[in-house]
Amino acid sequence: RHYGHGNKVKRSQRLTIVPPLSAGSVTVAFPVKRKDFTRKDVIPAHWDPALTLKVALLATSAEYQAVATAFQRTCPSQILFIERIQNQALYVLYQAKKEAMDNNQASGYKSNERRLFHGTDAGTADKICSQGFNRSFAGRNATMYGRGAYFARDSSYSARYSPTSPRQMFQALVLVGEYAVGAANILAPPSRRTNSLELKDSTVDRKGDPTIFVTYHDSQTYPEYLITFQ
């Protein structure tokens, strides 16, 4: 049949013939909005542009004073120096995880980002700076609330796990999300609801005003500052 010029189908509007669906092999595609987490605008503006892994902070800077104040709130030990950790790969993964948790509308909660402490020894500190808080280290010090990476609200608690000189402790960014009271040697948090496969995000020492947090996904944490003290 002949159609007039006004009824021509443009090439960009050409129809696509979809084959019949077969039982057991249905694929449904939805448009996905993605964010490019490799862009440099994801990196904090105050980072050194050279992206040196460790940057020593000036003791007179506001950044140094903020970290020192948080540390000395419960730990009176003398700070020798504080370094900012600038690991672009780890930070990009952390920000992607944070956005995913914040955008999880079905769960009705946010990532609940906190700054917490993690005491360690000098040898492990170097590994954490380059690899992050690897859960394979779990069990070296404690597994009372689960076999994950441990963080404390109070620096005085974390100082117990840095007994030898040079004593070192991280102030870390941690996405605690929705948490539950942990149990010894568990490998993952409990389910959010009865008979649900969806898990909570972390475990804690107590439900009300927790002081210890345990995470089970490496991208939930970022080693923001390394504090060397005595």
Side-chain angles (χ1 to χ4, degrees):
R1 182 182 296 179
H2 175 74
Y3 292 93
H5 292 292
N7 293 323
K8 286 185 177 179
V9 177
K10 295 181 180 179
R11 186 176 300 274
S12 62
Q13 297 175 331
R14 185 174 296 169
L15 299 177
T16 301
I17 304 301
V18 179
L21 296 175
S22 58
S25 61
V26 178
T27 301
V28 181
F30 296 96
V32 177
K33 184 178 180 182
R34 300 183 185 276
K35 184 172 181 178
D36 181 6
F37 280 100
T38 62
R39 298 181 310 177
K40 288 189 176 181
D41 59 4
V42 176
I43 304 305
H46 65 280
W47 277 21
D48 178 11
L51 292 180
T52 306
L53 182 60
K54 294 180 182 178
V55 175
L57 303 183
L58 292 174
T60 55
S61 68
E63 186 178 9
Y64 180 104
Q65 292 300 321
V67 178
T69 298
F71 173 84
Q72 292 179 327
R73 184 177 63 83
T74 61
C75 184
S77 299
Q78 180 184 357
I79 296 174
L80 300 179
F81 52 89
I82 300 174
E83 296 165 292
R84 182 198 310 129
I85 308 305
Q86 300 186 154
N87 188 319
Q88 183 175 10
L90 290 181
Y91 191 80
V92 165
L93 290 174
Y94 173 81
Q95 286 298 324
K97 179 68 172 177
K98 183 177 186 300
E99 180 167 282
M101 292 174 69
D102 284 340
N103 290 340
N104 189 352
Q105 299 298 325
S107 65
Y109 73 99
K110 295 295 184 180
S111 60
N112 198 4
E113 180 180 71
R114 301 193 184 200
R115 281 188 168 93
L116 302 172
F117 295 100
H118 179 94
T120 188
D121 57 81
T124 305
D126 287 338
K127 294 178 182 177
I128 291 173
C129 289
S130 60
Q131 303 170 24
F133 294 100
N134 193 320
R135 284 166 294 148
S136 66
F137 299 145
R140 286 190 174 184
N141 295 315
T143 58
M144 186 179 298
Y145 305 109
R147 296 186 67 85
Y150 275 66
F151 301 88
R153 181 194 67 187
D154 300 329
S155 57
S156 56
Y157 180 89
S158 295
R160 304 177 192 176
Y161 299 99
S162 181
T164 59
S165 181
R167 303 182 71 188
Q168 293 191 306
M169 184 187 304
F170 286 95
Q171 186 185 61
L173 291 170
V174 183
L175 304 174
V176 301
E178 184 179 2
Y179 48 78
V181 175
N185 295 316
I186 60 173
L187 300 177
S191 299
R192 289 209 173 117
R193 296 173 299 278
T194 304
N195 299 324
S196 171
L197 296 177
E198 191 176 13
L199 304 180
K200 295 193 176 185
D201 301 294
S202 59
T203 53
V204 296
D205 58 334
R206 62 192 185 206
K207 190 67 175 177
D209 191 25
T211 62
I212 300 172
F213 296 82
V214 187
T215 63
Y216 300 83
H217 292 279
D218 297 341
S219 58
Q220 275 180 265
T221 61
Y222 180 77
E224 190 176 24
Y225 296 101
L226 178 59
I227 304 165
T228 300
F229 62 102
Q230 64 180 16

